């Protein structure tokens, strides 16, 4: 093992702004807004403020699935929140005091309801529309268990493995080893569950799959951190089968490009205000033009 650099923690930790690595401009040890910035409001009942990271994609896939099931009340405006600063605007912090995407304002009733944390947003939407969440029994318990499994597990994948493998200013063998081991264990957990169940909750596609797929499906497709080969993701055959099945769903294909600002221009729909935007407003169609504001 490589020698760890000599570091003795001081008695009391202090914030060294120079030391924040790639995310020095956004990482802070304090919460709350840094500046005044109102959030835009569109014409639909649901207002989503997000970005197409795996946590954001969960919600846009969910909304597209609900619309595909015929729930007109799931029509939404998806506004782009760039997480190099927009998450600290006063309007965003009012919707999510934790300053992280995704955040939802449900404006369908007389009093707007704010919802933050992607798992909570999925649950809110599933209960609101009575969809993608089994009503009772073992299937419901499985669905919620896998949903909360994802919320507890993905930080080891993103904040642990992804951070130290791809983003940290130096490659620290101890950290990469520790989190690679944990992520492979998690992939094996999923692989075993999917060996004798089509979906995570059983034979039905649910919000558990919608929560897990952007993270672990993305990893299985080699799309996260360039780590497919390193983690030998192909060995998880059941995860591969499940990942590919969800990737074929039209709602998943639509959801994953909403609020996306990187990759192929045809796979970037910076903002979504209408179903037709998928045909007319991807970046290959509108180039660098700023998306037209939604009609309010
Ligand atoms: N547990 C949260 C995690 C959300 C999260 O970490 N969002 C990231 C993008 S994937 C973010 O907004 N980061 C900005 C920041 O940390 O300042 C959820 O599932 O909603």
């Amino acid at each position: 093992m490589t020698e760890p650099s000599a570091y003795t923690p001081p008695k009391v930790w202090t914030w060294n702004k120079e030391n924040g690595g790639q995310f020095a401009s956004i990482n802070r040890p304090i919460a709350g807004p840094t500046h005044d910035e109102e959030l835009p409001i569109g014409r639909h009942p649901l207002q989503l403020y997000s970005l197409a990271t795996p946590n954001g994609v969960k919600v846009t896939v969910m909304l597209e699935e609900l619309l595909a099931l015929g729930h007109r009340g799931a029509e939404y405006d998806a506004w782009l929140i760039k997480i190099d600063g927009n998450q600290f605007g006063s309007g965003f912090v009012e919707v999510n005091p934790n300053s992280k995407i995704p955040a939802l304002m449900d404006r369908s009733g007389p009093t707007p309801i704010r919802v933050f944390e992607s798992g909570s947003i999925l649950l809110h939407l599933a209960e609101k529309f009575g969809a993608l969440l089994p009503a009772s029994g073992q299937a419901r318990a499985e669905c919620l268990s896998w949903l909360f499994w994802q919320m507890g597990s993905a930080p080891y994948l993103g904040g642990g493995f992804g951070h130290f493998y791809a983003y940290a200013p130096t490659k620290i063998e101890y950290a990469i080893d520790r989190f690679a081991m944990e992520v492979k264990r998690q992939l094996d957990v999923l692989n075993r569950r999917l060996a004798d169940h089509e979906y995570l909750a059983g034979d039905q596609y649910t919000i558990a799959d919608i929560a897990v797929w952007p993270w672990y499906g993305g990893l299985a497709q080699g799309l996260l951190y360039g780590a497919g080969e390193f983690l030998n993701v192909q060995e998880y055959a059941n995860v591969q089968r499940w990942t590919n099945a969800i990737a074929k769903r039209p709602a998943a294909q639509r959801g994953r490009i909403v609020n996306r600002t990187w990759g192929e221009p045809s796979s970037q729909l910076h903002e979504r205000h209408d179903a037709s935007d998928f045909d007319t407003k991807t970046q290959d169609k509108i180039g660098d033009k700023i998306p037209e504001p939604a009609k309010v």
Side-chain angles (χ1 to χ4, degrees):
M1 179 170 316
T2 48
E3 278 299 308
S5 62
Y7 168 64
T8 308
K11 258 200 156 75
V12 178
W13 182 85
T14 50
W15 182 17
N16 175 1
K17 290 188 191 176
E18 309 304 310
N19 213 5
Q22 191 171 332
F23 301 105
S25 63
I26 62 164
N27 287 347
R28 319 176 288 154
I30 42 177
T34 55
H35 59 283
D36 286 334
E37 192 177 340
E38 294 277 302
L39 287 179
I41 303 172
R43 68 192 160 105
H44 294 305
L46 300 173
Q47 299 295 305
L48 177 68
Y49 302 97
S50 196
L51 181 72
T53 63
N55 289 321
V57 163
K58 293 175 207 171
V59 179
T60 46
V61 169
M62 175 67 175
L63 290 164
E64 291 298 329
E65 292 284 6
L66 289 169
L67 289 168
L69 287 170
H71 295 285
R72 302 294 307 271
E75 265 298 348
Y76 67 106
D77 291 277
W79 302 96
L80 182 63
I81 298 294
K82 293 189 181 150
I83 59 174
D84 56 4
N86 288 163
Q87 76 272 39
F88 302 120
S90 54
F92 188 84
V93 176
E94 276 167 30
V95 185
N96 185 355
N98 196 38
S99 283
K100 289 180 195 291
I101 66 89
L104 179 78
M105 272 307 249
D106 180 345
R107 296 184 165 274
S108 60
T111 311
I113 296 173
R114 81 172 192 192
V115 197
F116 61 91
E117 283 291 320
S118 57
S120 164
I121 296 173
L122 292 181
L123 206 46
H124 176 85
L125 293 170
E127 288 182 334
K128 182 181 177 75
F129 295 103
L132 299 161
L133 171 63
S136 61
Q138 188 65 56
R140 183 181 176 88
E142 289 292 329
C143 175
L144 294 178
S145 299
W146 288 104
L147 174 68
F148 286 93
W149 176 88
Q150 186 280 316
M151 300 308 296
S153 299
Y156 293 98
L157 167 52
F161 174 74
H163 179 80
F164 286 107
Y165 182 73
Y167 302 137
T170 53
K171 301 279 180 243
I172 303 167
E173 185 180 352
Y174 176 81
I176 293 174
D177 206 33
R178 173 181 162 88
F179 290 114
M181 171 123 62
E182 170 60 6
V183 168
K184 284 190 68 80
R185 190 193 67 81
Q186 294 176 355
L187 283 166
D188 197 35
V189 170
L190 289 174
N191 204 48
R192 286 164 188 260
R193 172 67 185 168
L194 293 167
D196 42 16
H197 297 90
E198 191 171 355
Y199 295 108
L200 290 170
D203 52 12
Q204 239 183 296
Y205 175 71
T206 68
I207 52 172
D209 303 291
I210 293 175
V212 175
W213 180 74
W215 279 109
Y216 295 88
L219 189 66
Q221 288 181 310
L223 301 175
L224 296 190
Y225 316 118
E229 189 179 358
F230 182 70
L231 296 174
N232 195 15
V233 293
Q234 289 304 331
E235 74 176 304
Y236 304 100
N238 307 314
V239 175
Q240 291 293 339
R241 185 261 309 151
W242 167 88
T243 295
N244 295 332
I246 298 176
K248 289 198 186 106
R249 296 178 73 89
Q253 289 171 7
R254 285 195 298 278
R256 79 189 321 184
I257 76 167
V258 176
N259 295 144
R260 193 160 193 260
T261 57
W262 57 90
E264 285 297 311
S266 59
S267 75
Q268 296 184 36
L269 181 59
H270 288 190
E271 291 190 353
R272 185 264 188 219
H273 300 289
D274 192 89
S276 66
D277 291 349
F278 291 99
D279 300 323
T280 57
K281 299 231 168 84
T282 49
Q283 283 302 108
D284 56 324
K285 307 263 170 55
I286 66 167
D288 284 324
K289 275 190 283 169
I290 303 208
E292 279 176 37
K295 293 186 186 70
V296 183

